Amino acid sequence: MHINDTVQASYKAVTAHRMRSVLTMLGIIIGVGSVVLLVSVGRSFERYVLDQVESFSSHLIEIYPTGFEKFGRSLDSLSFSDYEAVTQLSTVESVAPVIFVTEKVVYGTEEISPMVFGTTNKFFANYSLNLEQGRLLNESDIKGARSVAVLGYQAAIDLFGDRDPLGERIRVGKRFYTVVGTMETIGSALLQDLDTPVYVPFTTAKAQTGQKYLSYMTMKASIDDDNLVVADITSLLRQRHGIENIDNDYDKDDFRARSASQATEIVGSVGLGLTIFIGLIGGISLIVGGIGIMNIMLVSVTERTREIGLRKALGATRQDILRQFLIEAVALTMIGGVIGIVGGASLGALIAAVASKFVGTVPFVLSIPALLAAALMALATGLIFGIFPARKAASLSPMEAIRWEG
Amino acid sequence: MPKKKTSPTVPLIETQSLTKSYFSEELETPVLHGIDLTISEEEFVSIMGPSGSGKSTLMHILGFLDQPTTGKYLFRGEPTRTMTDDELAAIRATRVSFVFQAFNLLPRTTVLDNVMLPLLYHPTIPASERVERSMNAIKSVDLEDRALYYTNQLSGGQQQRVAIARALVTSPDVIFADEPTGNLDSKSGNQVMEVLQDLHDEGGRTIILVTHEQSTAAHAKRIIHLLDGNVSSDTKQFTQINAKKNNNLKK
């Protein structure tokens, strides 16, 4: 029998029993659909997180102290001279020191407890923060340790509501600051914490708190390879702190230098783990779907015993029958696979579109490898679970099959 | 009655001491005990016997649906015992065809597609001739106006005529008809028998009819009686029933 005829015979069998065919395919549709859906949604949100992080933190590097806090005192391993030394490195630029002022911020009757960053104007550039009105902190604010403050977008709203904050005086702890600028919103649900801080000059914060060490430092790598810069900083600070650490055990250090790209790698690796996990669940549902196919195909073989007997009586060979039933099983799984792929991808795109309305642009990522894997799995399911019923059909004796009363 | 044409030197079908037994768990159930038969081309033969006589088993062996246990079956002088499954399938595709008691048509499939079905398995008839051949076969059973109907929309008699068309379409050497009127009322049965007689008388087809009814068997020109797995008689001495006359009488 020619392969075209076999395909046509299978096609007729599939379309002649539409309801049964659809029910048979359902397992595959759900299996493939859920794999495609979950992987695309996972990938889309991973992409979303990475985009968000990368948008404000390209080549961003942070150094912060580590270790145990001693009796209520903050970690004090990062000194001002460490800051001076890091500034001298040729691989970094735009180094901004930070001292946190842990005080409440008050204006009139409004009182908030934001992060108060004592820093320099380089800080804003490092995090891609943009001014909305007024001005940023400048050199003379730092040199003169002036009592001026820049408000994050949310901090300005919380303290002033609709009023214009510029020129107003706010109180941080016991000290009064004049508001000289407000920041634009980051515009991201994921990173909305970046809208809440209050920024004051580094020198003023140092004077107010009396702190002799840095809360942390932030900077940009001036070369492409962030990891190289992190290694550079780490070896400089180990040397300065007298730490011998050839096995690179971060627990032995009293500080940690980390690039934002390392953070995104962590997001990526979590995403990959999740994708594999989702793929496994999808694989299991495909096996379940495949057993469903086998089940229905076996029923179909029994139900069509007379037809098989007839075809054999008319001259069909074992091969012909085997191929017909195998193609039928594969056709069912492939049609189911295509419906599942289209359905899963559409639903994924819909979810990304809906999410975009709430949390900022969520790009829809269609994972091509996941699609191919799903299609291949559907094909393999058809072949593996179709072969047994097909062999059963092919081995029927024509004489017994034709007399079969079922 | 048309005169029998020249008998070929090699008979179409020849069996020598053909036996068939079924085995279930060591238990041997013999069904045929040494059948010796010769059937020539263009014969119209009835194989007759009560149920259990082995007539269906014999037809299955002669139609290559089953293999004998011992003995010889020569088809056009060729021994068939050593044939593989695929060779048997090829013979079924080209040399023989069947009309079954239960019609065995594909449901939800048109008359044309049903009749075309054997051509899908035919090794030499090209695909381009399928429709024409099938339509010719459908015409010969007077169903051309039903060609695109689904078979389940037809009456029993019409369905059996579709089955006959399907048996004709490959121009086989021999047509086996297994109780072809068994599921039909007498009128439709008579019409089916008329078609078979026409195929033989006018078309020169070789037909082997298997039945348990004397009245059906008598439509053929020769009756082979089977009893308990043996040929009990083989005769041409009887009054042949003419289906066309009967039909005309009933009208």
Side-chain angles (χ1 to χ4, degrees):
Chain A
M1 193 177 185
H2 195 272
I3 190 81
N4 283 349
D5 297 325
T6 317
V7 171
Q8 271 188 32
S10 306
Y11 170 79
K12 277 177 189 160
V14 169
T15 49
H17 304 92
R18 257 186 221 107
M19 188 68 181
R20 189 175 71 192
S21 300
V22 169
L23 287 175
T24 311
M25 284 187 285
L26 214 52
I28 300 296
I29 294 174
I30 291 170
V32 170
S34 57
V35 170
V36 172
L37 173 68
L38 293 175
V39 171
S40 336
V41 167
R43 281 299 170 86
S44 297
F45 276 85
E46 183 186 317
R47 185 74 259 155
Y48 164 73
V49 171
L50 295 182
D51 283 356
Q52 296 281 319
V53 173
E54 277 162 8
S55 70
F56 80 93
S57 65
S58 100
H59 291 306
L60 179 74
I61 288 167
E62 293 170 340
I63 308 171
Y64 47 92
T66 58
F68 296 104
E69 295 198 8
K70 301 164 199 160
F71 302 111
R73 285 176 57 201
S74 300
L75 293 168
D76 57 0
S77 51
L78 281 185
S79 65
F80 298 134
S81 57
D82 284 339
Y83 161 61
E84 300 293 343
V86 168
T87 314
Q88 298 305 312
L89 283 174
S90 61
T91 50
V92 302
E93 58 192 18
S94 186
V95 185
V98 174
I99 287 178
F100 288 129
V101 184
T102 45
E103 299 280 6
K104 291 198 163 71
V105 177
V106 180
Y107 173 77
T109 58
E110 299 295 335
E111 183 182 289
I112 58 175
S113 303
M115 298 282 282
V116 179
F117 286 75
T119 186
T120 68
N121 53 350
K122 286 178 175 138
F123 182 91
F124 302 104
N126 288 352
Y127 288 100
S128 311
L129 301 168
N130 296 318
L131 189 68
E132 183 164 272
Q133 53 171 333
R135 64 174 179 83
L136 295 175
L137 302 172
N138 59 28
E139 285 299 317
S140 54
D141 291 336
I142 310 292
K143 281 206 180 102
R146 286 188 188 155
S147 295
V148 292
V150 173
L151 302 181
Y153 177 79
Q154 193 58 43
I157 290 174
D158 290 348
L159 285 176
F160 292 94
D162 295 338
R163 284 162 294 178
D164 179 11
L166 287 191
E168 299 292 328
R169 283 163 65 79
I170 58 171
R171 187 163 60 78
V172 178
K174 291 187 172 116
R175 193 168 184 137
F176 283 91
Y177 289 81
T178 304
V179 177
V180 294
T182 61
M183 304 304 292
E184 268 181 8
T185 177
I186 295 287
S188 154
L190 184 68
L191 304 167
Q192 54 190 342
D193 280 359
L194 285 174
D195 282 334
T196 59
V198 170
Y199 307 95
V200 300
F202 171 65
T203 43
T204 321
K206 184 176 156 193
Q208 186 179 353
T209 58
Q211 198 169 298
K212 302 271 188 301
Y213 47 86
L214 294 180
S215 301
Y216 84 105
M217 273 186 265
T218 162
M219 67 213 65
K220 290 261 181 185
S222 59
I223 58 171
D224 268 347
D225 189 346
D226 292 356
N227 293 335
L228 216 59
V229 179
V230 167
D232 208 8
I233 293 167
T234 305
S235 73
L236 171 75
L237 290 181
R238 278 180 189 159
Q239 197 191 337
R240 288 181 57 82
H241 295 185
I243 298 166
E244 279 201 28
N245 195 347
I246 28 173
D247 16 301
N248 214 19
D249 175 5
Y250 295 118
D251 288 345
K252 287 189 190 165
D253 294 335
D254 55 4
F255 68 92
R256 182 79 192 268
R258 203 163 68 179
S259 70
S261 57
Q262 279 174 315
T264 60
E265 274 165 29
I266 291 169
V267 173
S269 65
V270 170
L272 181 68
L274 211 62
T275 304
I276 291 171
F277 177 67
I278 289 166
L280 278 179
I281 291 178
I284 290 168
S285 59
L286 271 182
I287 291 174
V288 175
I291 292 169
I293 292 244
M294 180 160 71
N295 210 342
I296 300 279
M297 290 302 294
L298 281 173
V299 170
S300 171
V301 167
T302 309
E303 206 179 87
R304 286 154 68 193
T305 297
R306 285 170 76 97
E307 178 196 324
I308 295 161
L310 171 75
R311 286 178 184 273
K312 284 197 149 185
L314 297 182
T317 60
R318 278 181 64 94
Q319 272 296 329
D320 291 331
I321 302 293
L322 186 77
R323 263 197 297 191
Q324 184 188 337
F325 276 81
L326 207 51
I327 287 175
E328 221 175 290
V330 170
L332 282 174
T333 53
M334 289 313 282
I335 296 169
V338 169
I339 296 174
I341 286 173
V342 172
S346 312
L347 209 55
L350 187 71
I351 288 174
V354 170
S356 295
K357 287 208 184 303
F358 295 101
V359 297
T361 309
V362 179
F364 174 59
V365 184
L366 197 59
S367 167
I368 300 297
L371 290 196
L372 290 179
L376 271 178
M377 279 164 84
L379 177 68
T381 308
L383 281 174
I384 292 166
F385 292 101
I387 191 88
F388 176 61
R391 285 179 67 109
K392 194 182 167 201
S395 61
L396 285 172
S397 138
M399 176 208 39
E400 280 164 30
I402 203 121
R403 291 158 67 93
W404 196 79
E405 309 270 339
Chain B
M1 209 174 282
K3 199 178 160 284
K4 197 170 169 354
K5 290 175 191 168
T6 50
S7 180
T9 46
V10 180
L12 183 67
I13 285 170
E14 185 177 3
T15 68
Q16 297 166 2
S17 321
L18 199 74
T19 76
K20 178 70 183 177
S21 298
Y22 290 107
F23 297 89
S24 59
E25 296 169 17
E26 314 279 309
L27 204 71
E28 184 181 350
T29 313
V31 181
L32 298 177
H33 308 269
I35 304 282
D36 294 289
L37 265 184
T38 305
I39 296 172
S40 303
E41 262 182 282
E42 299 184 12
E43 275 202 84
F44 187 177
V45 184
S46 284
I47 297 175
M48 211 198 121
S51 63
S53 60
K55 61 185 188 302
S56 290
T57 303
L58 179 60
M59 187 204 84
H60 291 142
I61 292 170
L62 297 183
F64 302 97
L65 293 174
D66 204 357
Q67 290 271 48
T69 309
T70 64
K72 274 189 182 168
Y73 172 22
L74 305 172
F75 190 80
R76 290 190 180 284
E78 296 277 330
T80 60
R81 292 263 339 233
T82 54
M83 286 181 173
T84 64
D85 277 0
D86 281 358
E87 284 171 324
L88 290 174
I91 284 201
R92 291 197 294 268
T94 54
R95 300 293 196 186
V96 301
S97 62
F98 301 91
V99 175
F100 300 101
Q101 176 173 359
F103 321 142
N104 287 64
L105 301 175
L106 296 184
R108 279 167 283 203
T109 306
T110 63
V111 168
L112 180 61
D113 280 342
N114 265 287
V115 174
M116 224 180 324
L117 194 60
L119 297 179
L120 302 187
Y121 300 106
H122 199 283
T124 53
I125 295 173
S128 55
E129 288 179 23
R130 284 178 189 166
V131 174
E132 197 193 334
R133 276 175 175 268
S134 305
M135 282 311 297
N136 286 339
I138 293 168
K139 266 177 209 152
S140 67
V141 295
D142 282 330
L143 282 174
E144 59 265 44
D145 55 333
R146 296 284 190 273
L148 296 179
Y149 279 50
Y150 287 119
T151 47
N152 37 313
Q153 295 173 307
L154 304 182
S155 71
Q158 288 172 325
Q159 290 191 41
Q160 194 60 299
R161 274 147 64 199
V162 173
I164 293 171
R166 182 181 63 194
L168 286 173
V169 76
T170 53
S171 304
D173 293 346
V174 53
I175 297 172
F176 291 92
D178 185 7
E179 303 277 12
T181 59
N183 282 15
L184 299 175
D185 59 62
S186 67
K187 185 167 168 251
S188 325
N190 219 21
Q191 284 171 351
V192 164
M193 290 318 298
E194 184 184 337
V195 173
L196 288 177
Q197 279 187 328
D198 278 353
L199 287 177
H200 173 258
D201 296 348
E202 283 154 39
R205 301 278 180 177
T206 310
I207 298 173
I208 297 176
L209 178 68
V210 175
T211 181
H212 67 282
E213 286 177 338
Q214 176 69 35
S215 58
T216 308
H219 287 83
K221 300 217 167 110
R222 172 183 167 196
I223 300 180
I224 298 167
H225 273 274
L226 281 194
L227 196 63
D228 299 333
N230 290 302
V231 175
S232 63
S233 76
D234 184 348
T235 176
K236 295 180 179 176
Q237 306 305 314
F238 59 93
T239 315
Q240 195 193 17
I241 298 173
N242 187 320
K244 193 173 279 172
K245 264 188 204 157
N246 271 348
N247 278 338
N248 291 338
L249 277 179
K250 279 178 186 169
K251 278 172 197 167

